[in-house]
Each structure stands twice: as C-alpha cells, then as structure tokens.
Amino acid sequence: LSALADVGAFPAAPDILDFGGGYGLMTQMLLDAGYSAWTSDPHVPKPYFAPDHVVADLSAAPPGTYDLVLALEVFEHLVQPVEVGESLARVLRAGGSLLISTEIYKPDQHGPEWGYLATEGGQHVNFWSQRALEIFAAHLGFTSIGLYPGDTGFLIVMSHLDEGTLAARLQAALERLDDPAFLASCLRPWDFRTSGVIPAGARPLARSVQLGDVLR
C-alpha cells in the first residue's frame, strides 16, 4: 500500500476505509504509518485496535468520503457481493480506488481439490475469475483493473486511471519494493510499541509450558 501511494496509484494522503476490518489491526497499522484510516465491520462494532476510528454504519456515511477502500479477504465470503460493492463504490470520492484481495479462480487449473474452496469450513461462498472481476469493476464504474504485485494478485486494484497509466504505476510500485531503504521506512511505524499496545522497551519473553500441566 505504501508503495502504491508513493507512485500515485491513488491520491496523496488518502482517506482510507478498511471494510471487513475485523479487530481493526490493518487500520491501526495504517494510523501508525501516518495515514488517515477508518475501519468498518458489521460483525465487529467495537474493534480492539483503532476503536475511535470506526464507521459503525456504512450506509450512513456520506457519499464521496474516502479516496481508497480496502476489502482484504472479504469478497469470497459475501452472499451479496454486488450490493456490497455498490455500497463501497458509493463512499468513494471521484477518482477513488477499491482494493480487494481474493484468490483468482482459473477454470483451466482449479478443480475440486482447489484449497480455496474451503469445503470443510464453508466460509468461502463465491469465487472470482479474472473475467468476473473485470465485469464487476466495470459495473461499479471503474475504468481499469490491475493485479499487484503480479499476475495473480495479491491485491486487485480497481481504478479510475486509464489502463496504461495504472499498469505503469503498478510497475513503478513493484520496483519500489526492491528498495531496502523504502521497505524499512514502511515497516518502521508498524511497531505496536508506538501505539502503546506493547509497552515501550518490552522484550519478548522466553516461555515453555509443560503439557501435562495444561491437561490437568
């Protein structure tokens, strides 16, 4: 995300919403890195992290509130993905981007053994091919779609940039990841000692547990 922001894949100093943010971990990391970030999850009304940066009711948020909406490992769980996508597009400003992550279904490669089916847990209820993602993005009004950091994702970027500009900026962001100094600058703020979750100066403690004691 920092590399994408650095190369102008979305507006500078974006207001970010992490939809399906769970306990607010991503939002806290973004806040610690200096971003304006909020979390929204209908199943977690009061997250442990970033509890004062919560959008409790997304439908009440004004249109055009955010420059960037994240939905990481969310859309494969949704029974109404189009309706949710429309609600996320509604709160984006003109030129805003939607970034989702989900494993892309490839009909010529994936069969019943595909691990992403998650047949035992049953939590993955729809699966996205490249073509389905393109149709979905077009329906939401986006101009282009790109995969980052490679042809299989991890991030699927839905953008209002033209296809050539988006491709160039994704490539530039990929090159930023090869710069150790840039990576260090991105990772440095993501330390829970800075947020007070872990006391400053704390060190990991070596600890062992006797399993017999656990069973007793």
Side-chain angles (χ1 to χ4, degrees), residues 3 148-150 169-178:
Y148 175 80
R169 293 186 183 179
L170 294 182
Q171 179 60 37
L174 185 61
E175 293 169 2
R176 298 295 279 135
L177 298 182
D178 291 329

Side-chain angles (χ1 to χ4, degrees), residues 146-167:
L147 303 180
Y148 175 80
D151 290 341
T152 59
F154 171 72
L155 290 179
I156 298 155
V157 183
M158 300 182 188
S159 174
H160 291 284
L161 297 172
D162 66 80
E163 181 181 359
T165 300
L166 178 62

Side-chain angles (χ1 to χ4, degrees), residues 5-152:
D6 193 59
V7 301
F10 33 79
D15 291 315
I16 303 174
L17 175 71
D18 184 23
F19 177 75
Y23 291 112
L25 177 59
M26 172 64 79
T27 299
Q28 185 64 62
M29 294 170 77
L30 290 168
L31 289 169
D32 290 345
Y35 290 98
S36 170
W38 301 81
T39 183
S40 180
D41 192 319
H43 301 289
V44 188
K46 188 174 182 181
Y48 177 75
F49 297 102
D52 55 343
H53 281 250
V54 177
V55 179
D57 181 3
L58 188 60
S59 66
T65 302
Y66 304 99
D67 300 294
L68 177 64
V69 172
L70 310 176
L72 306 182
E73 300 303 299
V74 170
F75 271 84
E76 65 274 12
H77 297 274
L78 300 177
V79 296
Q80 295 180 309
V82 174
E83 289 84 348
V84 172
E86 290 170 345
S87 71
L88 299 182
R90 184 188 71 83
V91 297
L92 279 173
R93 294 184 179 123
S97 298
L98 172 63
L99 272 66
I100 74 172
S101 70
T102 191
E103 192 164 329
I104 298 175
Y105 170 65
K106 297 181 178 179
D108 58 337
Q109 298 181 23
H110 296 141
E113 73 288 348
W114 186 35
Y116 212 65
L117 289 172
T119 53
E120 293 183 4
Q123 295 186 18
H124 293 177
V125 297
N126 64 67
F127 307 92
W128 296 81
S129 67
Q130 175 74 26
R131 180 60 176 158
L133 288 165
E134 292 169 358
I135 293 171
F136 181 60
H139 172 75
L140 297 181
F142 293 103
T143 302
S144 59
I145 185 171
L147 303 180
Y148 175 80
D151 290 341
T152 59

Side-chain angles (χ1 to χ4, degrees), residues 182-203:
F182 179 76
L183 285 177
S185 70
C186 294
L187 296 173
R188 193 172 298 114
W190 293 354
D191 183 340
F192 287 129
R193 286 171 294 188
T194 65
S195 63
V197 175
I198 298 175
R203 295 290 183 271

